[in-house]
Each structure stands twice: as C-alpha cells, then as structure tokens.
C-alpha cells in the first residue's frame, strides 16, 4: 500500500514537472495597467496605459510594453514614445502622437470636436481614422500596413506618408 501511494506521488510529480498538470493548476498571468492623468516621462511601463474619461495624459520618451487606450473626452499628447502594442481611442477629445514608434496599429474612432495629429511616426501595422469630427493631420509617417481614413469631417490633411500597404478612401492622397 505504501509503495502504491509512493508510486502515485512520483507519477504526479513527473506530470507536474512536464507541465501536464502545471498548466491547469497555474493562475493566468495578468498584464498591469497604468492610469495616466498628467505626465509620464522617461520610464518603462510593463503593461498598458489607460487615459480615463476626460483626463489629459502626456507621454514624453516613455516606453509602453502594452497598449495605450484613450477613453471618451480624454486627451493624449505623446512625443518620442515606444508602444509595443496599439494606440486606440474612441470618442477621444484630442490625440497627438509625434516622432514615436508603435509596433501595432493606431486606431482612432469617433473623436468629437477635437483634433488628431500623427506626425513622423513609425507604425508596425495600420493607421485607421474613422468618423472623427475635427481637424486631422497625418504627415510624414512610415506605415508597414495600410493607411485608412473614412467618414472624417473634415477629411485628414498632410502628406509624405510612406505606406507599405494601401492608402485608402480619404487617405488615398496622403
């Protein structure tokens, strides 16, 4: 009986070490989220940055390993930042990203009566501007994916963007 129990313990330990039980027993990893109100300077953030409703966030030479999410009525002013994920905004007030690197996409939707400025950035995927109300400038960016603009009033201005994919709709001439 003792040998039989010992044998089961050794078998369970072997399964644990090989990962067969470890995956089921280990808690899921969660990514940290930093809320930004004010300024974050030269710092590395392991996770996402969240700009809450109505807040203003200034990122200066900041490294964000995750995404940057801008919420309703919020403002993002980012210069010389490096984002490992995406920059995403819906119903934001103002977005300005300059001289930065975004590994994923820049997706800006339904901004109200504010402005958008994307200047001298490198974007690893797409830039998408949809249904924004207010002036938008998209100038001198390097985009590995597509540059897509649709239903913005007024239409985006700018130019000298280098796009590996397609320049579509309102951004066809940029």
């Amino acid at each position: 009986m003792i040998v039989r129990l010992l044998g089961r313990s050794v078998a369970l330990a072997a399964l644990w070490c090989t990962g067969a039980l470890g995956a089921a027993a280990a808690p899921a990893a969660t990514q940290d989220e930093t809320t930004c109100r004010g300024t974050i300077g030269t710092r590395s953030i392991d996770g996402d940055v969240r700009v809450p409703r109505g807040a203003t966030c200034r990122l200066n030479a900041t490294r964000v390993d995750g995404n940057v999410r801008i919420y309703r009525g919020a403002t993002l002013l980012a210069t010389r930042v490096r984002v490992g994920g995406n920059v995403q905004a819906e119903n934001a007030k103002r977005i300005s990203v300059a001289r930065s690197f975004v590994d994923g996409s820049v997706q800006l939707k339904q901004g109200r009566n504010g402005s958008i400025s994307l200047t001298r950035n490198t974007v690893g995927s797409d830039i998408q501007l949809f249904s924004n109300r207010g002036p938008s400038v998209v100038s001198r960016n390097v985009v590995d994916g597509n540059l897509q603009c649709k239903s913005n009033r007024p239409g985006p201005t700018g130019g000298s963007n280098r796009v590996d994919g397609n320049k579509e709709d309102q951004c066809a001439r940029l």
Side-chain angles (χ1 to χ4, degrees), residues 23-37:
T30 58
Q31 200 175 51
D32 291 331
E33 182 176 81
T34 300
T35 299
C36 180
R37 290 181 181 94

Side-chain angles (χ1 to χ4, degrees), residues 39 48 62 141 150 170:
T39 301
D48 295 341
T62 309
N141 298 288
K150 191 171 190 173
Q170 292 174 313

Side-chain angles (χ1 to χ4, degrees), residues 89-126:
E90 190 163 344
N91 296 310
K93 180 179 178 183
R94 181 177 173 206
I95 306 292
S96 175
V97 181
R99 297 187 313 272
S100 297
F101 178 83
V102 178
D103 196 36
S105 295
V106 176
Q107 302 164 325
L108 310 177
K109 297 179 182 180
Q110 300 173 340
R112 303 281 179 215
N113 301 323
S115 63
I116 295 171
S117 177
L118 302 173
T119 307
R120 295 182 185 260
N121 301 295
T122 299
V123 178
S125 190
D126 302 325

